[in-house]
């Protein structure tokens, strides 16, 4: 039953892309990404808002982390065809929960990446990385990590 429901959702999504498209551009994107530090995220973009967002989740035996990133692409020039690159600035905010401890993290982000659009701009594939100097506040005190880097590989479906 789950396979049939999953196939139905995929076919409905693919079949309805023309309904949500606005001319050549698309108005909304949603997808997933994985990366370093190890974890996964749901990523989304609303065309009228200048940021790309990701809701991150990572965890291990010591606890879990939830985070939100908002990245503003300063530029997204084309290399050739539908392949381009981008660079920008962003913000990160995260919450760490582990056992009886609790913490908050915040960071500015510098990022660079490459993306390619496939299937008449329906699917975007991307690879990005950057620097995220982080400030931590927890029940153990205040801390910093100025050598914090990230890398992500992901996709977004555009509607």
């Amino acid at each position: 039953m789950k396979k049939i429901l999953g196939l139905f959702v995929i076919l409905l999504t693919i079949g309805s892309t023309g309904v949500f498209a606005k001319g050549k551009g698309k108005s909304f994107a949603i997808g997933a990404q994985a990366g370093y530090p190890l974890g996964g995220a749901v990523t989304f973009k609303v065309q009228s808002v200048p940021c790309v967002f990701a809701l991150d989740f990572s965890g291990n035996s010591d606890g879990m982390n939830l985070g939100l990133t908002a990245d503003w692409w300063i530029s997204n020039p084309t290399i050739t065809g539908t392949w381009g690159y981008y660079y920008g600035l962003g913000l990160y905010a995260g919450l760490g929960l582990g056992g009886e401890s609790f913490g908050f993290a915040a960071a500015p982000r510098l990022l660079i990446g490459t993306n390619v659009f496939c299937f008449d701009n329906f699917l975007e594939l991307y690879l990005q990385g950057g620097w995220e100097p982080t400030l931590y506040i927890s029940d153990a005190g205040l801390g910093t990590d100025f050598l914090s880097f990230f890398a992500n590989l992901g996709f977004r479906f555009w509607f």
Side-chain angles (χ1 to χ4, degrees):
M1 184 65 184
K2 288 181 183 179
K3 289 179 183 179
I4 293 171
L5 182 60
L7 181 60
F8 175 74
V9 169
I10 290 170
L11 291 174
L12 180 65
T13 301
I14 291 171
S16 64
T17 58
V19 173
F20 297 102
K22 292 185 176 180
K24 289 187 177 184
K26 312 286 180 148
S27 60
F28 177 76
I30 189 163
Q33 71 182 24
Y36 173 82
L38 293 178
V42 173
T43 177
F44 57 97
K45 169 80 172 102
V46 177
Q47 196 63 25
S48 61
V49 178
C51 292
V52 178
F53 298 95
L55 182 58
D56 306 318
F57 174 80
S58 62
N60 58 33
S61 60
D62 294 332
M64 67 178 205
N65 296 308
L66 298 173
L68 179 67
T69 61
D71 294 330
W72 173 57
W73 294 2
I74 294 171
S75 186
N76 186 201
T78 299
I79 296 172
T80 182
T82 60
W83 179 35
Y85 71 96
Y86 56 90
Y87 55 92
L89 305 170
L91 295 173
Y92 166 78
L95 200 58
L97 305 168
E100 296 187 24
S101 64
F102 175 82
F104 176 76
R109 292 166 50 98
L110 294 173
L111 63 133
I112 187 166
T114 185
N115 60 346
V116 64
F117 287 88
C118 308
F119 308 114
D120 195 28
N121 294 334
F122 174 63
L123 175 64
E124 176 190 9
L125 304 172
Y126 64 91
L127 174 65
Q128 69 181 15
W131 181 48
E132 194 175 78
T134 308
L135 171 67
Y136 299 98
I137 302 170
S138 71
D139 52 359
L142 189 64
T144 59
D145 184 359
F146 289 109
L147 296 176
S148 181
F149 297 92
F150 66 91
N152 303 114
L153 174 66
F155 65 91
R156 281 184 281 269
F157 293 108
W158 283 87
F159 303 97

